[in-house]
Amino acid sequence: MKNHYTTYVVAILFAFTFFVSSCSKDPAASVVPSSTTYTLLNSNGFLAFEDQVAFQAYVEKFQKNPSDPVILRDIQFLESQSTELRKLDSVSLSQMAETGDLTGFEHMLKLVGDGDDKSLQPIVDDPTLSRLINKDGLIQIGELVYQVNPSRVFQIRIVDFEQTKATFLASPEKVAQATVYQSQPANAIKNTSSKMLNKVESNSVTYENPGQGTCRFTAEVYLLDLGFYRKLAVRVKHEWRQRFWFTYYWGNSSAAMSMEGNINFLEYYTPFSKHYSATTQDDYKIETVIDETFNYVPLNWATNVGTAICRGRNGFTYSLNF
């Protein structure tokens, strides 16, 4: 049994499989009849929301009904993160992991680990937000344009963005009008390429399954922190170690799993407690969203006492505390 803190190491093909599973049946892939009605997609190629209230209402509406025709019209021509990641194949992902060259995907994926443990992590690890943020990590809320990067979120007024667009897209840190929201204290960011906007604490166990090889069962609490949007969730997942040419990676593998526990968390420094329970008989992941906040409202967890159980592919049962 091994504990992992601060970062979450996801398999080379996890980002691809995760977004395929959440987007391969994406209703937005169908062409929606054109309309002269106003849509959220602006001339810069990213969505623009009137304000934080409108953004929050839209996200909540999207979560409840992803097939809403107004939403499909808004995003059908958006080059979103999920759309772009869905285009990747195993060869491209393996090359990225091998060379470390994420050109074109530096706002969507992050390379983590060394050697055979190299893996790719989706920066915006959320099926809804990944469909609203474009491939360059951009989204506009009110007068501010946000750009998601591996360790920080840049923000700039739309009028300044229009005047410095080329420079901002190439090197936002060089634009004087741009400010930085950091998910961690400045002194904790030692290397932009080794930090993430995700805070994670996890526990995992590996086992051998004859005929399949090494499998891994993981349970974790994680916080996706984009500033303008934060999500606290718990999840369990099952993977198996695969080999693609000369590269190893952790790929998704279905199993019977369950999790149950109690988590204490803070929203705007107000304490809350929540009980969670979920189960699956044949899936690679279960996720339960504990809380979401918008407009830089602080969100974090204090303690979590949970138990996760997996019936391994080898017939044995494994239990984790996390």
Side-chain angles (χ1 to χ4, degrees), residues 68-116:
D68 186 291
V70 175
I71 293 176
L72 299 188
R73 186 193 67 221
D74 289 336
I75 68 175
Q76 68 173 326
F77 298 119
L78 172 68
E79 293 181 299
S80 69
Q81 301 213 344
S82 62
T83 300
E84 295 304 302
L85 288 172
R86 199 167 66 242
K87 297 177 183 177
L88 289 172
D89 57 24
S90 58
V91 175
S92 299
L93 287 162
S94 295
Q95 289 176 341
M96 286 183 186
E98 189 108 9
T99 64
D101 184 5
L102 301 182
T103 302
F105 294 89
E106 55 268 34
H107 300 290
M108 293 177 271
L109 295 173
K110 179 179 178 61
L111 186 63
V112 181
D114 301 302
D116 289 341

mmCIF file of all heavy atoms in Angstrom, residues 68-116:
data_model
loop_
_atom_site.group_PDB
_atom_site.id
_atom_site.type_symbol
_atom_site.label_atom_id
_atom_site.label_comp_id
_atom_site.label_asym_id
_atom_site.label_seq_id
_atom_site.Cartn_x
_atom_site.Cartn_y
_atom_site.Cartn_z
ATOM 1 N N ASP A 68 -29.141 20.090 -23.739
ATOM 2 C CA ASP A 68 -29.927 21.307 -23.942
ATOM 3 C C ASP A 68 -29.566 21.922 -25.302
ATOM 4 O O ASP A 68 -28.396 22.176 -25.575
ATOM 5 C CB ASP A 68 -29.636 22.302 -22.815
ATOM 6 C CG ASP A 68 -30.519 23.533 -22.890
ATOM 7 O OD1 ASP A 68 -30.336 24.322 -23.839
ATOM 8 O OD2 ASP A 68 -31.364 23.716 -22.008
ATOM 9 N N PRO A 69 -30.562 22.177 -26.169
ATOM 10 C CA PRO A 69 -30.266 22.692 -27.511
ATOM 11 C C PRO A 69 -29.547 24.034 -27.516
ATOM 12 O O PRO A 69 -28.739 24.305 -28.421
ATOM 13 C CB PRO A 69 -31.657 22.795 -28.164
ATOM 14 C CG PRO A 69 -32.626 22.829 -27.018
ATOM 15 C CD PRO A 69 -32.000 21.968 -25.962
ATOM 16 N N VAL A 70 -29.801 24.895 -26.536
ATOM 17 C CA VAL A 70 -29.117 26.178 -26.474
ATOM 18 C C VAL A 70 -27.636 25.958 -26.185
ATOM 19 O O VAL A 70 -26.761 26.586 -26.796
ATOM 20 C CB VAL A 70 -29.739 27.089 -25.389
ATOM 21 C CG1 VAL A 70 -28.927 28.374 -25.247
ATOM 22 C CG2 VAL A 70 -31.188 27.426 -25.737
ATOM 23 N N ILE A 71 -27.332 25.035 -25.272
ATOM 24 C CA ILE A 71 -25.939 24.724 -24.951
ATOM 25 C C ILE A 71 -25.234 24.110 -26.161
ATOM 26 O O ILE A 71 -24.105 24.478 -26.487
ATOM 27 C CB ILE A 71 -25.866 23.769 -23.740
ATOM 28 C CG1 ILE A 71 -26.347 24.481 -22.475
ATOM 29 C CG2 ILE A 71 -24.443 23.241 -23.553
ATOM 30 C CD1 ILE A 71 -26.412 23.601 -21.256
ATOM 31 N N LEU A 72 -25.905 23.188 -26.830
ATOM 32 C CA LEU A 72 -25.297 22.559 -28.001
ATOM 33 C C LEU A 72 -24.998 23.584 -29.088
ATOM 34 O O LEU A 72 -23.975 23.496 -29.772
ATOM 35 C CB LEU A 72 -26.226 21.472 -28.545
ATOM 36 C CG LEU A 72 -26.538 20.309 -27.600
ATOM 37 C CD1 LEU A 72 -27.308 19.228 -28.335
ATOM 38 C CD2 LEU A 72 -25.269 19.732 -27.000
ATOM 39 N N ARG A 73 -25.885 24.559 -29.246
ATOM 40 C CA ARG A 73 -25.638 25.607 -30.228
ATOM 41 C C ARG A 73 -24.430 26.459 -29.831
ATOM 42 O O ARG A 73 -23.613 26.843 -30.658
ATOM 43 C CB ARG A 73 -26.878 26.493 -30.354
ATOM 44 C CG ARG A 73 -26.782 27.539 -31.479
ATOM 45 C CD ARG A 73 -27.877 28.578 -31.365
ATOM 46 N NE ARG A 73 -27.685 29.392 -30.169
ATOM 47 C CZ ARG A 73 -28.669 29.776 -29.372
ATOM 48 N NH1 ARG A 73 -29.912 29.410 -29.606
ATOM 49 N NH2 ARG A 73 -28.410 30.528 -28.311
ATOM 50 N N ASP A 74 -24.307 26.733 -28.541
ATOM 51 C CA ASP A 74 -23.204 27.561 -28.053
ATOM 52 C C ASP A 74 -21.842 26.910 -28.264
ATOM 53 O O ASP A 74 -20.859 27.587 -28.570
ATOM 54 C CB ASP A 74 -23.376 27.863 -26.561
ATOM 55 C CG ASP A 74 -24.509 28.837 -26.280
ATOM 56 O OD1 ASP A 74 -24.864 29.619 -27.187
ATOM 57 O OD2 ASP A 74 -25.035 28.815 -25.151
ATOM 58 N N ILE A 75 -21.767 25.603 -28.074
ATOM 59 C CA ILE A 75 -20.457 24.940 -28.063
ATOM 60 C C ILE A 75 -20.145 24.136 -29.312
ATOM 61 O O ILE A 75 -19.051 23.579 -29.418
ATOM 62 C CB ILE A 75 -20.313 24.019 -26.834
ATOM 63 C CG1 ILE A 75 -21.263 22.822 -26.933
ATOM 64 C CG2 ILE A 75 -20.552 24.796 -25.539
ATOM 65 C CD1 ILE A 75 -21.093 21.807 -25.814
ATOM 66 N N GLN A 76 -21.081 24.076 -30.279
ATOM 67 C CA GLN A 76 -20.838 23.177 -31.414
ATOM 68 C C GLN A 76 -19.630 23.593 -32.254
ATOM 69 O O GLN A 76 -18.978 22.749 -32.877
ATOM 70 C CB GLN A 76 -22.087 23.059 -32.291
ATOM 71 C CG GLN A 76 -22.480 24.314 -33.044
ATOM 72 C CD GLN A 76 -23.615 24.052 -34.017
ATOM 73 O OE1 GLN A 76 -23.705 22.965 -34.586
ATOM 74 N NE2 GLN A 76 -24.488 25.017 -34.218
ATOM 75 N N PHE A 77 -19.286 24.869 -32.286
ATOM 76 C CA PHE A 77 -18.123 25.314 -33.053
ATOM 77 C C PHE A 77 -16.942 25.698 -32.153
ATOM 78 O O PHE A 77 -15.932 26.212 -32.634
ATOM 79 C CB PHE A 77 -18.503 26.505 -33.937
ATOM 80 C CG PHE A 77 -19.557 26.167 -34.957
ATOM 81 C CD1 PHE A 77 -20.781 26.817 -34.946
ATOM 82 C CD2 PHE A 77 -19.337 25.193 -35.911
ATOM 83 C CE1 PHE A 77 -21.762 26.495 -35.879
ATOM 84 C CE2 PHE A 77 -20.314 24.864 -36.852
ATOM 85 C CZ PHE A 77 -21.529 25.524 -36.833
ATOM 86 N N LEU A 78 -17.072 25.438 -30.865
ATOM 87 C CA LEU A 78 -15.992 25.717 -29.927
ATOM 88 C C LEU A 78 -14.944 24.614 -29.991
ATOM 89 O O LEU A 78 -15.266 23.427 -29.893
ATOM 90 C CB LEU A 78 -16.532 25.815 -28.494
ATOM 91 C CG LEU A 78 -15.489 25.926 -27.375
ATOM 92 C CD1 LEU A 78 -14.768 27.270 -27.454
ATOM 93 C CD2 LEU A 78 -16.143 25.740 -26.011
ATOM 94 N N GLU A 79 -13.693 24.992 -30.173
ATOM 95 C CA GLU A 79 -12.597 24.018 -30.120
ATOM 96 C C GLU A 79 -12.234 23.840 -28.653
ATOM 97 O O GLU A 79 -11.260 24.404 -28.151
ATOM 98 C CB GLU A 79 -11.409 24.517 -30.940
ATOM 99 C CG GLU A 79 -11.690 24.589 -32.423
ATOM 100 C CD GLU A 79 -10.484 25.066 -33.216
ATOM 101 O OE1 GLU A 79 -10.030 26.200 -32.964
ATOM 102 O OE2 GLU A 79 -9.997 24.319 -34.080
ATOM 103 N N SER A 80 -13.027 23.047 -27.975
ATOM 104 C CA SER A 80 -12.872 22.871 -26.539
ATOM 105 C C SER A 80 -11.753 21.899 -26.222
ATOM 106 O O SER A 80 -11.231 21.202 -27.101
ATOM 107 C CB SER A 80 -14.174 22.369 -25.922
ATOM 108 O OG SER A 80 -14.431 21.034 -26.340
ATOM 109 N N GLN A 81 -11.401 21.838 -24.943
ATOM 110 C CA GLN A 81 -10.358 20.908 -24.525
ATOM 111 C C GLN A 81 -10.782 19.462 -24.760
ATOM 112 O O GLN A 81 -9.995 18.648 -25.242
ATOM 113 C CB GLN A 81 -10.036 21.150 -23.052
ATOM 114 C CG GLN A 81 -9.563 22.558 -22.761
ATOM 115 C CD GLN A 81 -8.547 22.632 -21.640
ATOM 116 O OE1 GLN A 81 -8.379 21.707 -20.867
ATOM 117 N NE2 GLN A 81 -7.863 23.754 -21.554
ATOM 118 N N SER A 82 -12.025 19.131 -24.422
ATOM 119 C CA SER A 82 -12.475 17.755 -24.607
ATOM 120 C C SER A 82 -12.502 17.374 -26.082
ATOM 121 O O SER A 82 -12.158 16.251 -26.458
ATOM 122 C CB SER A 82 -13.859 17.562 -23.983
ATOM 123 O OG SER A 82 -14.818 18.387 -24.612
ATOM 124 N N THR A 83 -12.889 18.318 -26.955
ATOM 125 C CA THR A 83 -12.915 18.051 -28.392
ATOM 126 C C THR A 83 -11.519 17.753 -28.920
ATOM 127 O O THR A 83 -11.313 16.801 -29.682
ATOM 128 C CB THR A 83 -13.494 19.260 -29.154
ATOM 129 O OG1 THR A 83 -14.825 19.510 -28.701
ATOM 130 C CG2 THR A 83 -13.532 18.988 -30.655
ATOM 131 N N GLU A 84 -10.546 18.552 -28.513
ATOM 132 C CA GLU A 84 -9.182 18.360 -28.990
ATOM 133 C C GLU A 84 -8.556 17.090 -28.433
ATOM 134 O O GLU A 84 -7.858 16.365 -29.150
ATOM 135 C CB GLU A 84 -8.328 19.577 -28.624
ATOM 136 C CG GLU A 84 -8.750 20.862 -29.323
ATOM 137 C CD GLU A 84 -8.776 20.734 -30.830
ATOM 138 O OE1 GLU A 84 -7.727 20.393 -31.423
ATOM 139 O OE2 GLU A 84 -9.845 20.946 -31.433
ATOM 140 N N LEU A 85 -8.804 16.797 -27.163
ATOM 141 C CA LEU A 85 -8.222 15.594 -26.563
ATOM 142 C C LEU A 85 -8.819 14.329 -27.171
ATOM 143 O O LEU A 85 -8.154 13.290 -27.222
ATOM 144 C CB LEU A 85 -8.443 15.607 -25.046
ATOM 145 C CG LEU A 85 -7.600 16.629 -24.282
ATOM 146 C CD1 LEU A 85 -8.034 16.692 -22.819
ATOM 147 C CD2 LEU A 85 -6.121 16.290 -24.376
ATOM 148 N N ARG A 86 -10.047 14.428 -27.632
ATOM 149 C CA ARG A 86 -10.693 13.272 -28.242
ATOM 150 C C ARG A 86 -10.018 12.883 -29.563
ATOM 151 O O ARG A 86 -10.159 11.768 -30.042
ATOM 152 C CB ARG A 86 -12.177 13.581 -28.457
ATOM 153 C CG ARG A 86 -13.041 12.353 -28.661
ATOM 154 C CD ARG A 86 -14.528 12.675 -28.565
ATOM 155 N NE ARG A 86 -14.957 13.538 -29.650
ATOM 156 C CZ ARG A 86 -15.454 14.750 -29.470
ATOM 157 N NH1 ARG A 86 -15.531 15.268 -28.263
ATOM 158 N NH2 ARG A 86 -15.853 15.481 -30.492
ATOM 159 N N LYS A 87 -9.278 13.825 -30.149
ATOM 160 C CA LYS A 87 -8.604 13.552 -31.418
ATOM 161 C C LYS A 87 -7.301 12.768 -31.239
ATOM 162 O O LYS A 87 -6.764 12.244 -32.212
ATOM 163 C CB LYS A 87 -8.292 14.874 -32.126
ATOM 164 C CG LYS A 87 -9.529 15.685 -32.500
ATOM 165 C CD LYS A 87 -9.122 17.016 -33.120
ATOM 166 C CE LYS A 87 -10.330 17.881 -33.450
ATOM 167 N NZ LYS A 87 -9.920 19.212 -33.996
ATOM 168 N N LEU A 88 -6.791 12.717 -30.018
ATOM 169 C CA LEU A 88 -5.508 12.062 -29.777
ATOM 170 C C LEU A 88 -5.631 10.541 -29.832
ATOM 171 O O LEU A 88 -6.598 9.962 -29.349
ATOM 172 C CB LEU A 88 -4.958 12.472 -28.411
ATOM 173 C CG LEU A 88 -4.453 13.916 -28.290
ATOM 174 C CD1 LEU A 88 -4.137 14.221 -26.832
ATOM 175 C CD2 LEU A 88 -3.237 14.137 -29.160
ATOM 176 N N ASP A 89 -4.626 9.899 -30.403
ATOM 177 C CA ASP A 89 -4.569 8.442 -30.394
ATOM 178 C C ASP A 89 -3.418 7.979 -29.508
ATOM 179 O O ASP A 89 -2.642 8.788 -28.995
ATOM 180 C CB ASP A 89 -4.430 7.888 -31.814
ATOM 181 C CG ASP A 89 -3.210 8.435 -32.548
ATOM 182 O OD1 ASP A 89 -2.238 8.850 -31.878
ATOM 183 O OD2 ASP A 89 -3.220 8.460 -33.789
ATOM 184 N N SER A 90 -3.309 6.691 -29.325
ATOM 185 C CA SER A 90 -2.311 6.145 -28.403
ATOM 186 C C SER A 90 -0.888 6.437 -28.862
ATOM 187 O O SER A 90 0.011 6.642 -28.047
ATOM 188 C CB SER A 90 -2.511 4.630 -28.246
ATOM 189 O OG SER A 90 -2.417 3.982 -29.509
ATOM 190 N N VAL A 91 -0.664 6.483 -30.188
ATOM 191 C CA VAL A 91 0.679 6.761 -30.698
ATOM 192 C C VAL A 91 1.097 8.189 -30.325
ATOM 193 O O VAL A 91 2.198 8.429 -29.833
ATOM 194 C CB VAL A 91 0.736 6.577 -32.223
ATOM 195 C CG1 VAL A 91 2.108 6.991 -32.757
ATOM 196 C CG2 VAL A 91 0.451 5.129 -32.592
ATOM 197 N N SER A 92 0.182 9.146 -30.536
ATOM 198 C CA SER A 92 0.484 10.551 -30.216
ATOM 199 C C SER A 92 0.752 10.728 -28.734
ATOM 200 O O SER A 92 1.691 11.432 -28.335
ATOM 201 C CB SER A 92 -0.684 11.443 -30.641
ATOM 202 O OG SER A 92 -0.911 11.356 -32.028
ATOM 203 N N LEU A 93 -0.066 10.094 -27.901
ATOM 204 C CA LEU A 93 0.105 10.222 -26.461
ATOM 205 C C LEU A 93 1.418 9.617 -25.993
ATOM 206 O O LEU A 93 2.104 10.173 -25.137
ATOM 207 C CB LEU A 93 -1.077 9.556 -25.744
ATOM 208 C CG LEU A 93 -2.398 10.339 -25.835
ATOM 209 C CD1 LEU A 93 -3.570 9.443 -25.513
ATOM 210 C CD2 LEU A 93 -2.378 11.541 -24.907
ATOM 211 N N SER A 94 1.783 8.481 -26.574
ATOM 212 C CA SER A 94 3.041 7.843 -26.205
ATOM 213 C C SER A 94 4.233 8.706 -26.610
ATOM 214 O O SER A 94 5.212 8.826 -25.876
ATOM 215 C CB SER A 94 3.146 6.465 -26.861
ATOM 216 O OG SER A 94 2.160 5.598 -26.355
ATOM 217 N N GLN A 95 4.134 9.332 -27.774
ATOM 218 C CA GLN A 95 5.211 10.217 -28.228
ATOM 219 C C GLN A 95 5.346 11.428 -27.313
ATOM 220 O O GLN A 95 6.455 11.862 -27.010
ATOM 221 C CB GLN A 95 4.947 10.656 -29.671
ATOM 222 C CG GLN A 95 5.129 9.553 -30.688
ATOM 223 C CD GLN A 95 4.762 9.990 -32.097
ATOM 224 O OE1 GLN A 95 4.059 10.982 -32.291
ATOM 225 N NE2 GLN A 95 5.224 9.249 -33.085
ATOM 226 N N MET A 96 4.220 11.971 -26.873
ATOM 227 C CA MET A 96 4.253 13.093 -25.942
ATOM 228 C C MET A 96 4.954 12.710 -24.648
ATOM 229 O O MET A 96 5.792 13.450 -24.122
ATOM 230 C CB MET A 96 2.821 13.558 -25.614
ATOM 231 C CG MET A 96 2.140 14.325 -26.705
ATOM 232 S SD MET A 96 0.514 14.886 -26.135
ATOM 233 C CE MET A 96 -0.130 15.585 -27.650
ATOM 234 N N ALA A 97 4.598 11.548 -24.129
ATOM 235 C CA ALA A 97 5.192 11.091 -22.868
ATOM 236 C C ALA A 97 6.680 10.813 -23.034
ATOM 237 O O ALA A 97 7.486 11.080 -22.140
ATOM 238 C CB ALA A 97 4.474 9.842 -22.377
ATOM 239 N N GLU A 98 7.044 10.279 -24.210
ATOM 240 C CA GLU A 98 8.441 9.917 -24.451
ATOM 241 C C GLU A 98 9.321 11.148 -24.634
ATOM 242 O O GLU A 98 10.429 11.235 -24.111
ATOM 243 C CB GLU A 98 8.521 9.042 -25.709
ATOM 244 C CG GLU A 98 9.875 8.437 -25.950
ATOM 245 C CD GLU A 98 9.895 6.945 -25.683
ATOM 246 O OE1 GLU A 98 8.834 6.342 -25.473
ATOM 247 O OE2 GLU A 98 10.994 6.411 -25.667
ATOM 248 N N THR A 99 8.824 12.140 -25.387
ATOM 249 C CA THR A 99 9.632 13.312 -25.726
ATOM 250 C C THR A 99 9.408 14.487 -24.778
ATOM 251 O O THR A 99 10.256 15.378 -24.685
ATOM 252 C CB THR A 99 9.313 13.779 -27.153
ATOM 253 O OG1 THR A 99 7.944 14.212 -27.218
ATOM 254 C CG2 THR A 99 9.528 12.646 -28.153
ATOM 255 N N GLY A 100 8.257 14.505 -24.094
ATOM 256 C CA GLY A 100 7.924 15.634 -23.234
ATOM 257 C C GLY A 100 7.444 16.846 -24.014
ATOM 258 O O GLY A 100 7.244 17.920 -23.450
ATOM 259 N N ASP A 101 7.243 16.672 -25.328
ATOM 260 C CA ASP A 101 6.783 17.775 -26.176
ATOM 261 C C ASP A 101 5.258 17.822 -26.184
ATOM 262 O O ASP A 101 4.605 16.981 -26.802
ATOM 263 C CB ASP A 101 7.311 17.579 -27.600
ATOM 264 C CG ASP A 101 6.945 18.741 -28.523
ATOM 265 O OD1 ASP A 101 6.374 19.740 -28.023
ATOM 266 O OD2 ASP A 101 7.221 18.642 -29.738
ATOM 267 N N LEU A 102 4.695 18.823 -25.499
ATOM 268 C CA LEU A 102 3.241 18.978 -25.424
ATOM 269 C C LEU A 102 2.752 20.131 -26.296
ATOM 270 O O LEU A 102 1.671 20.686 -26.052
ATOM 271 C CB LEU A 102 2.817 19.220 -23.968
ATOM 272 C CG LEU A 102 3.180 18.138 -22.955
ATOM 273 C CD1 LEU A 102 2.646 18.509 -21.575
ATOM 274 C CD2 LEU A 102 2.631 16.783 -23.389
ATOM 275 N N THR A 103 3.517 20.471 -27.311
ATOM 276 C CA THR A 103 3.153 21.589 -28.178
ATOM 277 C C THR A 103 1.734 21.407 -28.721
ATOM 278 O O THR A 103 1.400 20.367 -29.287
ATOM 279 C CB THR A 103 4.125 21.691 -29.368
ATOM 280 O OG1 THR A 103 5.457 21.851 -28.862
ATOM 281 C CG2 THR A 103 3.767 22.870 -30.245
ATOM 282 N N GLY A 104 0.922 22.433 -28.529
ATOM 283 C CA GLY A 104 -0.464 22.375 -28.956
ATOM 284 C C GLY A 104 -1.397 21.868 -27.884
ATOM 285 O O GLY A 104 -2.614 22.009 -28.001
ATOM 286 N N PHE A 105 -0.823 21.269 -26.830
ATOM 287 C CA PHE A 105 -1.640 20.708 -25.752
ATOM 288 C C PHE A 105 -1.168 21.174 -24.381
ATOM 289 O O PHE A 105 -1.569 20.613 -23.356
ATOM 290 C CB PHE A 105 -1.610 19.175 -25.818
ATOM 291 C CG PHE A 105 -2.272 18.613 -27.044
ATOM 292 C CD1 PHE A 105 -1.552 18.414 -28.204
ATOM 293 C CD2 PHE A 105 -3.628 18.319 -27.042
ATOM 294 C CE1 PHE A 105 -2.158 17.924 -29.353
ATOM 295 C CE2 PHE A 105 -4.245 17.820 -28.180
ATOM 296 C CZ PHE A 105 -3.511 17.615 -29.337
ATOM 297 N N GLU A 106 -0.329 22.221 -24.363
ATOM 298 C CA GLU A 106 0.246 22.677 -23.098
ATOM 299 C C GLU A 106 -0.776 23.287 -22.150
ATOM 300 O O GLU A 106 -0.497 23.450 -20.951
ATOM 301 C CB GLU A 106 1.382 23.681 -23.346
ATOM 302 C CG GLU A 106 0.983 24.877 -24.187
ATOM 303 C CD GLU A 106 1.221 24.668 -25.673
ATOM 304 O OE1 GLU A 106 1.065 23.527 -26.141
ATOM 305 O OE2 GLU A 106 1.556 25.655 -26.362
ATOM 306 N N HIS A 107 -1.959 23.627 -22.634
ATOM 307 C CA HIS A 107 -3.020 24.147 -21.768
ATOM 308 C C HIS A 107 -4.048 23.076 -21.425
ATOM 309 O O HIS A 107 -5.024 23.350 -20.739
ATOM 310 C CB HIS A 107 -3.719 25.333 -22.431
ATOM 311 C CG HIS A 107 -2.804 26.474 -22.717
ATOM 312 N ND1 HIS A 107 -2.260 27.249 -21.716
ATOM 313 C CD2 HIS A 107 -2.303 26.950 -23.889
ATOM 314 C CE1 HIS A 107 -1.486 28.175 -22.259
ATOM 315 N NE2 HIS A 107 -1.481 28.005 -23.559
ATOM 316 N N MET A 108 -3.811 21.851 -21.918
ATOM 317 C CA MET A 108 -4.750 20.764 -21.690
ATOM 318 C C MET A 108 -4.159 19.603 -20.909
ATOM 319 O O MET A 108 -4.838 18.979 -20.097
ATOM 320 C CB MET A 108 -5.272 20.242 -23.036
ATOM 321 C CG MET A 108 -6.140 21.231 -23.780
ATOM 322 S SD MET A 108 -6.663 20.618 -25.393
ATOM 323 C CE MET A 108 -5.304 21.201 -26.415
ATOM 324 N N LEU A 109 -2.876 19.299 -21.177
ATOM 325 C CA LEU A 109 -2.239 18.142 -20.553
ATOM 326 C C LEU A 109 -0.965 18.555 -19.832
ATOM 327 O O LEU A 109 -0.321 19.545 -20.182
ATOM 328 C CB LEU A 109 -1.892 17.098 -21.620
ATOM 329 C CG LEU A 109 -3.056 16.438 -22.346
ATOM 330 C CD1 LEU A 109 -2.543 15.562 -23.477
ATOM 331 C CD2 LEU A 109 -3.901 15.617 -21.383
ATOM 332 N N LYS A 110 -0.594 17.745 -18.852
ATOM 333 C CA LYS A 110 0.628 17.979 -18.092
ATOM 334 C C LYS A 110 1.366 16.656 -17.929
ATOM 335 O O LYS A 110 0.775 15.632 -17.605
ATOM 336 C CB LYS A 110 0.289 18.554 -16.717
ATOM 337 C CG LYS A 110 1.509 18.807 -15.851
ATOM 338 C CD LYS A 110 1.113 19.403 -14.527
ATOM 339 C CE LYS A 110 2.336 19.595 -13.643
ATOM 340 N NZ LYS A 110 3.302 20.507 -14.263
ATOM 341 N N LEU A 111 2.669 16.671 -18.203
ATOM 342 C CA LEU A 111 3.485 15.478 -18.061
ATOM 343 C C LEU A 111 3.977 15.362 -16.630
ATOM 344 O O LEU A 111 4.523 16.305 -16.064
ATOM 345 C CB LEU A 111 4.673 15.537 -19.016
ATOM 346 C CG LEU A 111 5.564 14.293 -19.095
ATOM 347 C CD1 LEU A 111 4.765 13.115 -19.617
ATOM 348 C CD2 LEU A 111 6.758 14.576 -20.004
ATOM 349 N N VAL A 112 3.768 14.193 -16.036
ATOM 350 C CA VAL A 112 4.133 13.960 -14.638
ATOM 351 C C VAL A 112 4.959 12.685 -14.545
ATOM 352 O O VAL A 112 4.719 11.711 -15.250
ATOM 353 C CB VAL A 112 2.866 13.814 -13.762
ATOM 354 C CG1 VAL A 112 3.249 13.588 -12.304
ATOM 355 C CG2 VAL A 112 1.978 15.034 -13.897
ATOM 356 N N GLY A 113 5.945 12.675 -13.660
ATOM 357 C CA GLY A 113 6.702 11.460 -13.391
ATOM 358 C C GLY A 113 7.928 11.305 -14.273
ATOM 359 O O GLY A 113 8.200 12.095 -15.177
ATOM 360 N N ASP A 114 8.670 10.235 -14.003
ATOM 361 C CA ASP A 114 9.901 9.944 -14.727
ATOM 362 C C ASP A 114 9.924 8.481 -15.147
ATOM 363 O O ASP A 114 9.216 7.631 -14.601
ATOM 364 C CB ASP A 114 11.132 10.237 -13.862
ATOM 365 C CG ASP A 114 11.198 11.694 -13.415
ATOM 366 O OD1 ASP A 114 11.205 12.567 -14.300
ATOM 367 O OD2 ASP A 114 11.224 11.942 -12.192
ATOM 368 N N GLY A 115 10.771 8.201 -16.128
ATOM 369 C CA GLY A 115 10.973 6.822 -16.545
ATOM 370 C C GLY A 115 9.690 6.143 -16.956
ATOM 371 O O GLY A 115 8.852 6.694 -17.674
ATOM 372 N N ASP A 116 9.520 4.905 -16.487
ATOM 373 C CA ASP A 116 8.340 4.129 -16.830
ATOM 374 C C ASP A 116 7.078 4.648 -16.143
ATOM 375 O O ASP A 116 5.978 4.203 -16.444
ATOM 376 C CB ASP A 116 8.532 2.645 -16.459
ATOM 377 C CG ASP A 116 9.526 1.960 -17.386
ATOM 378 O OD1 ASP A 116 9.770 2.505 -18.485
ATOM 379 O OD2 ASP A 116 10.046 0.893 -17.014
#
